[in-house]
Amino acid sequence: MSSTVTLTIDGVEIQAQPGQTILKAAEAAGVYIPRLCAHPDLTPHGSCRVCTVFVNGRPQSACTQPVAEGMVVENASERVTDLRRQIIEMLFVEGNHFCMFCEKSGHCELQALAYRLGITAPRFPYQFPARDVDASHPDILIDRNRCILCGRCVRASRELDGKNVFGFVGRGPHKRVAVNAEARLADTDATAGDRAMDVCPVGAILRKRSGYTVPVGQRPYDRRPIGAEIESARKPGA
Amino acid sequence: MGDDLAEGIRQICAACGNDRTRMMDIVRQVQARYGCVSSRAMDLIAAAVSTHRVEVESVVSFYAFLSTRPKGRVIIRVCDDIIDRMRGGERVAKAFSDALGIGFGQTTPDGLITLERTACIGMSDQAPAALINDVPVTELSSDAAWEIARKLKAGTPPDKLVQRIGDGQNAHPLVQSMVVNNLRLAGPVVFAPLETGAALRKALAMSPQEVIRDVKTARLRGRGGAGFPTGMKWDFARAAEGPRKYVVCNADEGEPGTFKDRVILTECPDLVFEGMTIAGYAIGSDTGILYLRAEYAYLRAYLEDVLERRRKHGLLGRDLGGRERFSFDIRIQMGAGAYVCGEETSLLSSCEGLRGDPKNRPPFPAQKGLLGCPTTVNNVETYCCVARILDQGPGWFAQLGSKGSPGTKVLSVSGDCRRPGVYEVPFGVKLAEVLQMVGGQEAQAVQVGGPSGQMVGPPEFQRTICYDDLATGGSIMVFGPGRDLLEVVDAFMEFFIDESCGYCTPCRVGNVLLRGQLRKIIQGRGEPADLENLQSLGTAVKAASRCGLGQTSPNPVLSSLKNFRSLYETRVRENPDGLQPTFDIRAALGEAERITGRKSAVFAQ
């Protein structure tokens, strides 16, 4: 039995470790599959669906689906890209995202994905939901207007910090990230040193007084598109 | 009074072994005793079962029958699905509201009665219906609603509202319900008599592998709708390693228009439990769980009694049938109002005391299911088929029905037909034959398989009910000539929005957007391009959603677009002023015109 698995992504053959997810296998081969809820230090969540690929013709989330011998993965085709655009646009209209006023601009993965996928304006009407801001904590700000419910903070608090600061409450369109207290983050054991405060892909969880330490224009996604770091590792000839 | 709550919660949690995987039982009891699971109650529960408060809140806030804010001692839940609306449900709802002097979502000032709407409660053949706490009241009229409200205000307990008693086991002393079976056609598989214990005896005389072989030979497929081969599922569960294994029966019958499991559980619970026991033997499990939807709580005492009788008769318990080391028992897990828990991995999450979020697959439940153990989840009707197959033999079963779909299917028929109710028909029956049987020949449309199924019109009535053509978990809703089908589609989309768990983006957001686009068209503000937008968005939600709910939720839109396209086309128009067609320039200018006190010179009309 061979110790690696061979699959193709957009017609290019790659080798992967058995048990690896499609997302990780692609990444190791220098192929970027767009994603939001996935994070290298956290267990896969499979919720944002941005990493959806077609596997042997069927849609699957690349962050949760393990590789298999002979798998045919479609990642960068027009139909997959349009599906991802629709999902990103859904996230934009679901919340209140004003990039020009957001201190996360240029660090924001949602914004960066919109640029990468060539979205100029969402095709869907804005929902303008009423969401709250929790500035109770001395060092941390939660702005739920920007939350995309990816669950990174929920998982990071549990898996990396050994706490349980965040959790999902409500269901359907009323689902939101709550804190482990009656209402305020200040009443939890959250601290600015928690990894949970690092992982937010958007500007929903911010450390106070640190928003502009890197000037706009010099931020990672101001300079290179999201995913470029993975693609630059692509082996020549692959 | 001061610490009645702390003491009560301590008792409830202790009785559940302070086991956080039994969170559903804990919060249901707290809700029943205190009218809500308050903020303080959540703190107390979290402390008692050693979890975090936000974990308790995540559960309480998920299920429709649980609440963090106080509710009345009596909760009236008026069934609000399309069939109930068609049969006067709105008038009944208004009567309740008028009689109580409160709106929906409100509680009477004395804290006695709360009025709510709820999704289909499985009484579509006797709509309009409502639940008064656990008690179903059916075939309501405005007068009946006024009368119920009057009695409740006077302090009559809900179970004393039942004045006429239904047929069959609905009259059982432990049921005593006004619900009727409307069992119009009993077939040979589910509704034929079976000597209790006979199928189990035959199974225990074989090896577990032989039992699975028989289920495979019968080519039994799941009756819940997805149609996965049962024997194959059991093979996986048998082969999988785990400290223990579970047999789960999915009685979370939430698909609007489906009520066949209610009738099966009322009339042949032994057949269901026998099938589950056989499954336990086949896969090597000692624990069965019946996950019963909260709407059917009125059947719980009766079902517990059936289980108790089976224990007394040696059909559950230790060393069954003299088979050494085959022990099996069944417990009932109550749901708390969530359609998505009919999805098997959501159901397992719920059984683990969590929100009813679906799980990522793989691993599949047969490999890692309940609490990480190999689990088979099958439908109520599937277990009936299993018992019958073991009793009558796989050959007998396989010759029933059609080639690709052996056996029978129990249908729940509702809507515009003369004989709504439950019909056990052989697979392969034509939809037109079903319509004839039920007295619904004039139908302009039939929804096959509930909202997650398909809406078909007369050109499709010659198609057959089976896995390979018109698949259904049992729901058949008939819509007569006068019905506005787009309003039906809209009601279905509203249902999916309410019932989405919110875990994944396309289902959480996409369904809201789909309904928004649909409403625009219904209100006459749509443009021709909107039909393509609906198609494209619906296709995206189907493709990208994580579980069966989102993968089927656009079906009402997509199937009506395909089969009833003219209904959409007649309601859309190009905008004559050449602007974005759905943009109403006059309305947009209104405020500015009021402020400036003059009309726009450019857009005067």
Side-chain angles (χ1 to χ4, degrees):
Chain A
M1 198 175 142
S2 119
S3 62
T4 62
V5 171
T6 305
L7 62 150
T8 67
I9 301 182
D10 296 326
V12 179
E13 217 168 72
I14 68 162
Q15 305 295 316
Q17 306 302 313
Q20 224 174 6
T21 62
I22 295 172
L23 188 108
K24 292 255 161 115
E27 195 165 311
V31 175
Y32 174 65
I33 299 178
R35 82 290 303 264
L36 276 172
C37 68
H39 185 279
D41 300 335
L42 302 172
T43 54
H45 202 234
S47 65
C48 74
R49 313 310 283 179
V50 171
C51 73
T52 299
V53 290
F54 283 80
V55 177
N56 304 331
R58 291 188 52 185
Q60 300 280 4
S61 54
C63 71
T64 59
Q65 189 66 30
V67 292
E69 183 63 37
M71 212 177 224
V72 177
V73 177
E74 183 183 325
N75 172 46
S77 66
E78 186 47 37
R79 71 169 173 168
V80 175
T81 303
D82 187 60
L83 195 57
R84 289 178 184 152
R85 280 191 200 110
Q86 295 209 47
I87 294 168
I88 299 289
E89 291 171 28
M90 286 180 201
L91 290 170
F92 268 103
V93 303
E94 183 193 24
N96 299 309
H97 298 274
F98 299 97
C99 297
M100 61 298 266
F101 308 123
C102 180
E103 67 181 67
K104 196 70 178 263
S105 184
H107 286 119
C108 172
E109 295 178 36
L110 180 69
Q111 179 194 43
L113 272 172
Y115 281 131
R116 178 169 175 132
L117 297 177
I119 297 170
T120 48
R123 70 195 78 178
F124 309 120
Y126 287 101
Q127 304 293 299
F128 298 121
R131 302 253 188 100
D132 61 8
V133 175
D134 178 356
S136 62
H137 195 283
D139 303 317
I140 307 158
L141 173 76
I142 304 178
D143 185 347
R144 291 192 173 83
N145 288 291
R146 303 165 181 163
C147 178
I148 57 169
L149 300 167
C150 68
R152 282 191 191 176
C153 56
V154 177
R155 284 172 287 154
S157 186
R158 260 182 229 162
E159 297 170 14
L160 305 178
D161 300 325
K163 298 182 181 179
N164 223 301
V165 172
F166 300 105
F168 286 120
V169 301
R171 80 176 186 205
H174 307 292
K175 183 175 178 166
R176 58 193 281 275
V177 172
V179 298
N180 189 36
E182 173 123 23
R184 301 171 351 131
L185 185 65
D187 300 329
T188 70
D189 56 353
T191 67
D194 287 357
R195 286 292 316 277
M197 313 312 158
D198 287 330
V199 293
C200 182
V202 292
I205 299 179
L206 299 165
R207 288 200 181 84
K208 292 180 177 174
R209 300 174 296 277
S210 66
Y212 292 94
T213 46
V214 180
V216 171
Q218 294 174 27
R219 297 177 170 193
Y221 305 131
D222 294 339
R223 297 167 161 253
R224 297 206 301 179
I226 190 168
E229 68 290 354
I230 289 170
E231 289 164 318
S232 64
R234 189 162 189 157
K235 292 176 198 80
Chain B
M1 180 78 190
D3 245 0
D4 172 55
L5 182 67
E7 178 54 24
I9 285 178
R10 195 195 61 74
Q11 284 170 6
I12 289 170
C13 293
C16 292
N18 291 326
D19 178 357
R20 67 179 163 189
T21 69
R22 295 195 56 195
M23 188 62 76
M24 288 293 282
D25 297 330
I26 294 170
V27 291
R28 275 185 56 94
Q29 287 177 56
V30 172
Q31 175 79 39
R33 192 183 299 183
Y34 299 101
C36 68
V37 186
S38 64
S39 178
R40 180 153 175 268
M42 291 193 279
D43 283 328
L44 291 164
I45 294 169
V49 305
S50 308
T51 186
H52 301 271
R53 175 208 154 94
V54 73
E55 299 287 331
V56 184
E57 189 179 355
S58 80
V59 175
V60 176
S61 61
F62 188 87
Y63 296 93
F65 282 30
L66 302 172
S67 165
T68 55
R69 283 176 298 114
K71 292 204 178 164
R73 287 199 295 286
V74 175
I75 301 176
I76 301 177
R77 294 189 171 92
V78 180
C79 182
D80 183 35
D81 75 4
I82 187 70
I83 300 292
D84 284 70
R85 284 184 208 168
M86 281 162 37
R87 304 192 65 85
E90 286 300 306
R91 284 195 304 278
V92 170
K94 185 172 184 306
F96 273 123
S97 178
D98 291 347
L100 296 167
I102 54 173
F104 280 82
Q106 295 179 344
T107 301
T108 51
D110 58 2
L112 182 62
I113 303 169
T114 299
L115 185 59
E116 296 184 346
R117 294 182 202 275
T118 194
C120 181
I121 61 170
M123 304 289 164
S124 312
D125 59 336
Q126 42 213 296
L131 284 173
I132 319 285
N133 288 350
D134 290 346
V135 179
V137 288
T138 59
E139 291 176 15
L140 293 171
S141 60
S142 307
D143 288 351
W146 275 92
E147 179 67 7
I148 288 170
R150 188 186 62 75
K151 286 184 176 166
L152 289 173
K153 280 197 286 189
T156 307
D159 55 330
K160 296 283 181 287
L161 295 169
V162 175
Q163 288 183 331
R164 57 168 206 276
I165 298 287
D167 56 343
Q169 294 296 311
N170 292 299
H172 188 282
L174 291 171
V175 183
Q176 288 287 301
S177 168
M178 69 193 287
V179 173
V180 290
N181 289 326
N182 283 329
L183 177 54
R184 313 259 183 194
L185 182 65
V189 175
V190 176
F191 289 111
L194 176 72
E195 184 206 335
T196 301
L200 180 59
R201 261 198 312 280
K202 290 180 185 171
L204 293 178
M206 304 196 282
S207 71
Q209 289 83 353
E210 287 168 335
V211 171
I212 295 179
R213 188 204 57 203
D214 270 10
V215 173
K216 282 184 172 172
T217 307
R219 288 179 292 128
L220 175 62
R221 296 169 69 175
R223 268 26 181 182
F228 192 81
T230 308
M232 202 190 288
K233 199 184 263 191
W234 288 9
D235 248 349
F236 294 145
R238 176 160 187 84
E241 302 275 343
R244 66 191 311 177
K245 295 179 185 179
Y246 292 99
V247 169
V248 175
C249 177
N250 184 346
D252 192 54
E253 176 177 61
E255 188 73 38
T258 315
F259 45 85
K260 51 121 188 151
D261 291 344
R262 162 178 51 83
V263 178
I264 294 174
L265 289 167
T266 306
E267 292 307 318
C268 20
D270 270 303
L271 200 59
V272 180
F273 294 143
E274 193 134 337
M276 290 175 72
T277 312
I278 292 167
Y281 178 65
I283 70 163
S285 157
D286 64 358
T287 307
I289 297 170
L290 175 78
Y291 187 94
L292 186 64
R293 68 186 305 222
E295 291 81 351
Y296 294 168
Y298 74 101
L299 291 172
R300 183 180 185 176
Y302 164 72
L303 293 171
E304 295 280 11
D305 186 60
V306 174
L307 290 173
E308 196 48 44
R309 190 165 38 71
R310 291 185 70 85
R311 286 182 199 111
K312 275 194 197 129
H313 292 174
L315 299 170
L316 286 175
R318 305 193 65 79
D319 300 333
L320 295 183
R323 269 280 174 181
E324 63 182 70
R325 285 197 285 278
F326 174 54
S327 299
F328 191 78
D329 210 336
I330 297 173
R331 69 178 175 88
I332 296 176
Q333 173 67 58
M334 292 305 301
Y339 164 75
V340 71
C341 289
E343 198 281 337
E344 63 175 2
T345 61
S346 303
L347 187 152
L348 294 176
S349 295
S350 187
C351 287
E352 292 169 347
L354 303 170
R355 299 163 60 79
D357 287 338
K359 296 170 187 286
N360 286 317
R361 277 160 295 206
F364 289 89
Q367 305 161 287
K368 278 183 194 296
L370 185 62
L371 302 169
C373 299
T375 304
T376 182
V377 184
N378 300 102
N379 181 263
V380 170
E381 188 183 343
T382 310
Y383 286 117
C384 294
C385 296
V386 164
R388 191 68 66 180
I389 288 165
L390 268 291
D391 187 59
Q392 296 284 313
W396 173 85
F397 185 86
Q399 49 88 32
L400 298 169
S402 72
K403 208 166 170 203
S405 307
T408 62
K409 184 75 198 84
V410 183
L411 303 178
S412 324
V413 184
S414 63
D416 296 318
C417 60
R418 282 180 289 283
R419 291 176 294 279
V422 170
Y423 295 77
E424 183 182 352
V425 297
F427 269 120
V429 67
K430 286 195 166 71
L431 186 54
E433 296 173 79
V434 173
L435 288 174
Q436 176 126 33
M437 228 182 305
V438 307
Q441 295 94 319
E442 303 85 19
Q444 63 160 325
V446 180
Q447 185 76 21
V448 182
S452 70
Q454 302 180 57
M455 182 182 273
V456 297
E460 321 276 321
F461 289 174
Q462 289 305 312
R463 291 174 64 185
T464 57
I465 307 272
C466 67
Y467 292 106
D468 310 313
D469 192 1
L470 288 172
T472 173
S475 176
I476 304 278
M477 297 156 125
V478 184
F479 298 104
R483 304 295 177 187
D484 181 345
L485 296 181
L486 294 194
E487 288 295 341
V488 175
V489 173
D490 182 52
F492 290 163
M493 291 315 298
E494 185 187 4
F495 168 77
F496 285 124
I497 291 167
D498 285 345
E499 297 296 336
S500 165
C501 77
Y503 191 102
C504 74
T505 312
C507 179
R508 183 183 71 240
V509 189
N511 285 321
V512 174
L513 298 173
L514 259 182
R515 182 169 186 230
Q517 291 187 359
L518 177 69
R519 295 235 34 103
K520 206 170 86 172
I521 293 170
I522 290 175
Q523 291 163 356
R525 296 183 293 116
E527 52 174 303
D530 279 329
L531 303 193
E532 295 320 309
N533 296 342
L534 267 181
Q535 182 78 37
S536 141
L537 175 57
T539 307
V541 172
K542 263 178 96 74
S545 286
R546 180 163 171 265
C547 84
L549 195 156
Q551 288 160 9
T552 57
S553 60
N555 283 353
V557 168
L558 295 177
S559 70
S560 58
L561 260 179
K562 177 165 168 270
N563 297 330
F564 298 92
R565 198 172 184 86
S566 64
L567 293 180
Y568 288 88
E569 284 167 345
T570 54
R571 298 210 205 185
V572 296
R573 61 185 166 83
E574 298 281 0
N575 197 336
D577 61 18
L579 295 167
Q580 188 179 355
T582 52
F583 179 66
D584 182 351
I585 183 68
R586 295 296 324 147
L589 287 171
E591 191 177 0
E593 287 180 341
R594 264 196 312 282
I595 294 168
T596 56
R598 64 175 178 83
K599 289 258 178 203
S600 160
V602 183
F603 296 102
Q605 278 310 305

